[in-house]
Amino acid sequence: MAYEKLLNEIYAAVSLKYLWKEYRPYFIKSESPDWINESMDLGLEVSQALLPHDGQEESFIEKYLGCLKEELPPVAFEKYGERLNFYNGRFWAILPQQDVEQDYLSKAKYRFDRKLEKLNTNYVDKKYNGLYLFLHPSDETDIDAEALFAYMRQRQEKTEKYFDWVFLNCQKTIYVCDFAQNTIEPIVLPKNAENFLNLEAEYLRYCHEWVDGMALDT
């Protein structure tokens, strides 16, 4: 599924808070990148591994997430049909097309390239930079983390600014790509951790309005 951007951002920060051994408090909401961690001198951008046509779906989700079924425009049902997913009567997600092969590696490469370009043009300047990518695989064995790591390392060799860490969220495993150490470390989510992180992220998303400068925790 593809979820709301802010919810993704909060989930990413929460998952690193609880699971990443390098983490130090705390993340502060920002824009370009999405989070700043002053104690780590780190900027963190959060994104989904999407191609351009997926971006249209992402924009639709951003606009109508949480709306009642009858509040969606008729064209949505014509375009997405049964892929529209509802929770408690409200629009929640667009399901992937079952008959279309999901090339997660290509999607991840495309999104990484776009974010690397953005890092080198208009991000807040921090000593360290991180990128958190949701890959949404239907089968985690589809993800060749080593190949993606090699691609990202090669792409960053000639750029002035680069990502020190890239976090590949594959649902039950988060791969930490550390380019300073040239390592990939999998974080396997403990039992019930995925449900806890989802609930925590949803709670934080809706407990108050998020504005720049707001801390994830204190």
Side-chain angles (χ1 to χ4, degrees), residues 163-174:
F163 291 109
D164 300 273
W165 291 283
V166 175
F167 307 91
L168 306 176
N169 185 303
C170 301
Q171 297 179 348
K172 298 185 183 301
T173 304
I174 301 173

Side-chain angles (χ1 to χ4, degrees), residues 25 35 44 46 85-86 91 94 96-97 110-111 113 119 129 138 153 165 167 184 189 205 207:
W35 296 101
L44 179 71
V46 181
N85 181 263
F86 295 88
F91 173 59
I94 297 177
Q97 296 184 52
Y110 174 86
R111 188 52 55 189
D113 286 346
L119 171 65
N129 301 288
S138 55
R153 182 178 55 204
W165 291 283
F167 307 91
I184 302 178
L189 272 62
R205 165 64 181 90
C207 70

Side-chain angles (χ1 to χ4, degrees), residues 86-100:
F86 295 88
Y87 179 76
N88 288 339
R90 294 183 179 274
F91 173 59
W92 183 242
I94 297 177
L95 301 175
Q97 296 184 52
Q98 297 300 317
D99 57 343
V100 176

Side-chain angles (χ1 to χ4, degrees), residues 5 30-36 43-45 111-126 129-131 159-163 212:
K5 183 177 186 296
S30 182
E31 187 64 37
S32 296
D34 298 308
W35 296 101
I36 296 293
L44 179 71
E45 178 75 358
R111 188 52 55 189
F112 175 80
D113 286 346
R114 301 289 78 74
K115 292 302 181 179
L116 182 61
E117 179 182 354
K118 188 176 179 182
L119 171 65
N120 280 273
T121 54
N122 65 343
Y123 273 16
V124 173
D125 190 28
K126 306 303 292 183
N129 301 288
L131 174 64
T159 58
E160 179 181 356
K161 297 181 181 178
Y162 57 89
F163 291 109
D212 289 357

Side-chain angles (χ1 to χ4, degrees), residues 159-215:
T159 58
E160 179 181 356
K161 297 181 181 178
Y162 57 89
F163 291 109
D164 300 273
W165 291 283
V166 175
F167 307 91
L168 306 176
N169 185 303
C170 301
Q171 297 179 348
K172 298 185 183 301
T173 304
I174 301 173
Y175 292 95
V176 181
C177 300
D178 185 332
F179 293 96
Q181 302 298 324
N182 198 32
T183 59
I184 302 178
E185 180 181 351
I187 300 175
V188 179
L189 272 62
K191 185 178 180 180
N192 300 323
E194 187 176 2
N195 185 53
F196 166 77
L197 294 174
N198 282 326
L199 291 174
E200 181 76 359
E202 288 180 27
Y203 167 75
L204 291 172
R205 165 64 181 90
Y206 295 108
C207 70
H208 53 67
E209 291 293 324
W210 283 85
V211 296
D212 289 357
M214 183 169 289

Side-chain angles (χ1 to χ4, degrees), residues 132-147:
Y132 193 110
L133 273 180
F134 289 89
L135 268 59
H136 301 300
S138 55
D139 181 353
E140 290 197 32
T141 61
D142 291 341
I143 303 301
D144 188 342
E146 292 284 350

